[in-house]
Amino acid sequence: TSQLNFLYHKRKTTMASIKILLDTRRAKSDGTYPIIYRITHNSKSFSINTRVSIKKSEWNVKNKSIKMGVACYSDKVSV
């Protein structure tokens, strides 16, 4: 049975989830907020800053992206 338990626990691995978010907890002095990657794996999460900051009004909450009508859209998104 110990071998069966080992196989069961080995199969029970989960993949990490990655979300792109506007981090409204950290307002900058110019009134913008950083866009971050939030990575979660096994109930532990950490954030990676994209070094792109925008105003709240420029963020599409539903699609989790920069609004298309925003001036300098291409300047704010780098590949």
Side-chain angles (χ1 to χ4, degrees):
T1 57
S2 63
Q3 208 171 22
L4 290 175
N5 285 339
F6 172 76
L7 292 174
Y8 172 76
H9 290 296
K10 188 172 183 178
R11 252 192 263 150
K12 198 177 175 181
T13 57
T14 58
M15 295 183 66
S17 67
I18 302 171
K19 295 180 181 180
I20 299 174
L21 303 169
L22 186 66
D23 192 357
T24 55
R25 302 171 299 165
R26 294 181 174 86
K28 292 181 149 192
S29 59
D30 62 357
T32 61
Y33 298 88
I35 296 174
I36 60 168
Y37 296 113
R38 173 78 42 82
I39 301 169
T40 305
H41 185 266
N42 291 335
S43 302
K44 296 177 185 173
S45 65
F46 65 95
S47 302
I48 298 175
N49 191 340
T50 62
R51 300 191 188 271
V52 175
S53 296
I54 61 171
K55 295 177 183 176
K56 260 187 182 179
S57 61
E58 298 173 333
W59 183 250
N60 185 329
V61 177
K62 184 178 179 182
N63 295 332
K64 295 184 174 96
S65 64
I66 299 172
K67 291 182 179 176
M68 292 297 286
V70 173
C72 301
Y73 174 79
S74 60
D75 293 341
K76 293 181 181 184
V77 179
S78 59
V79 180

